[in-house]
Amino acid sequence: MNEPGNSPTVSYGPVTYAPATPPPPDGLAWPHDFDAGYGAGLRTAVSLGGGGLFFVAWQVSYLSEMLSRGIDLSGAQRVVGTSAGSLVASVLEAGNLTRLRKEVGVLARLPKLMAALAPAADLHASQSRALERFGLAADAEPDTIRAIGHAALAARTPGPAVMPRNLALILASRGWPSAALHVTCVDAYTGERCVITGNSRVPVTRAVAASSAVPGLFAPQPILDRRCMDGGVSGTGLHLDVVAGADKVVVLGLTDGAGVTEGMMTNAPDSIARELDALAGSGSEVFFRRPEHMDPLTLMDPKAVPEALAMGRRQAGVDAAELRVFWA
């Protein structure tokens, strides 16, 4: 096997060509690896997972209630956001959590947030193919992820400029809010997991759009020389290896996977439990919370938002004393 930079020439009849030298690494690809110690040396970290409009509302309500009780997770040394969690993480780090809580409270009457996060009612056949391929994916094998990505690249979606433009109205900033923020996405062509930081020279609106680009619903986003899709198309919606080794980690996930018997959306039935166990095995102390209940069929339905807001606030009230001690 030839190593990068030492590719042989390839002969086509009488003409000999030398393959183009691959571009230098851009630093975005982080292999999934709990032994890499990505979070080693950090005292505190947060991971906010994906889960549609419902989970945006739940996370915002949960974190806002904690903030009102004097528990501010924006002080974490690393905050990882994936899909819906990338939006919440960006707002948290920008100090705009209270404002977003008010906006989410009137979500059904807020066109700018709906346009950014809710899919169109009628999908083209190419969109449906990509969305179905993602939804039915029972594993996160490289070939599976690449097949989803190629379908996403071929889907007839709104242009890639639409989502970042709408997200700019919500985030109210293009500047990277903090060095702690790490946004995950997936290269739609190579299938590599990518992690975007403030050093990546990517506007936060574009990073969040990439992390939230559900295959078939939204266009993969141009991230440097890549085209990137939803960070959840990777076998995980939490990316806990990015914080593995940190002393204390708060994880907000849509589900713990209990009762799931079949793989879907690249997640195996026991993947969340195994990931949480691996995080604890790295030496991290873990505080994990999820909504009391949720319906996968209504994650993108604005009508589910009021219940999510009430649930998040109620659960935060119950958890506040425990989280205050954990975070101290």
Side-chain angles (χ1 to χ4, degrees):
M1 181 175 180
N2 294 290
E3 297 181 1
N6 294 315
S7 299
T9 58
V10 180
S11 179
Y12 296 92
V15 182
T16 299
Y17 297 90
T21 302
D26 55 19
L28 294 180
W30 291 34
H32 288 275
D33 186 358
F34 274 91
D35 293 326
Y38 293 135
L42 300 176
R43 196 181 80 83
T44 55
V46 174
S47 172
L48 304 181
L53 294 175
F54 172 89
F55 203 38
V56 167
W58 186 91
Q59 290 185 77
V60 166
S61 183
Y62 188 92
L63 293 171
S64 294
E65 182 64 20
M66 288 297 181
L67 184 60
S68 73
R69 294 168 181 259
I71 305 169
D72 185 2
L73 297 187
S74 67
Q77 291 178 286
R78 179 164 298 168
V79 178
V80 179
T82 300
S83 198
S86 70
L87 169 61
V88 179
S90 299
V91 172
L92 173 69
E93 289 301 283
N96 292 327
L97 193 61
T98 301
R99 178 182 60 79
L100 183 59
R101 168 63 181 82
K102 294 177 181 177
E103 290 190 347
V104 171
V106 291
L107 180 61
R109 303 192 302 275
L110 196 66
K112 65 182 181 181
L113 195 51
M114 287 293 294
L117 298 179
D122 299 320
L123 300 181
H124 298 292
S126 60
Q127 291 180 275
S128 296
R129 284 195 298 270
L131 187 60
E132 181 178 13
R133 188 176 285 271
F134 173 43
L136 297 179
D139 59 65
E141 292 298 320
D143 286 347
T144 300
I145 295 174
R146 283 192 290 267
I148 296 169
H150 297 173
L153 289 167
R156 184 182 170 190
T157 59
V162 174
M163 199 174 183
R165 184 171 63 242
N166 291 330
L167 282 169
L169 299 174
I170 304 165
L171 299 176
S173 172
R174 286 174 55 87
W176 204 260
S178 79
L181 179 64
H182 287 53
V183 174
T184 68
C185 56
V186 175
D187 187 313
Y189 182 75
T190 68
E192 294 171 292
R193 190 268 302 275
C194 296
V195 180
I196 307 173
T197 69
N199 294 326
S200 303
R201 308 183 311 280
V202 175
V204 68
T205 50
R206 183 72 68 180
V208 173
S211 187
S212 307
V214 178
L217 297 185
F218 305 110
Q221 291 292 315
I223 302 295
L224 302 184
D225 197 33
R226 301 175 183 264
R227 295 296 180 271
C228 293
M229 59 183 173
D230 196 295
V233 191
S234 55
T236 173
L238 296 171
H239 298 274
L240 298 184
D241 64 309
V242 178
V243 295
D247 293 343
K248 298 182 179 183
V249 183
V250 172
V251 182
L252 300 186
L254 181 65
T255 176
D256 59 5
V260 177
T261 58
E262 296 183 2
M264 61 183 69
M265 294 188 290
T266 72
N267 283 270
D270 62 345
S271 61
I272 298 172
R274 287 191 288 106
E275 195 171 0
L276 288 166
D277 286 345
L279 178 60
S282 73
S284 298
E285 187 178 357
V286 184
F287 181 98
F288 173 73
R289 286 299 182 271
R290 60 177 179 79
E292 294 167 345
H293 57 83
M294 64 89 186
D295 181 353
L297 299 179
T298 63
L299 294 181
M300 295 300 290
D301 187 351
K303 294 179 182 177
V305 166
E307 181 184 14
L309 290 171
M311 192 188 309
R313 181 177 182 182
R314 181 173 62 252
Q315 288 184 251
V318 173
D319 292 343
E322 182 180 352
L323 183 55
R324 180 176 286 107
V325 173
F326 177 87
W327 202 240

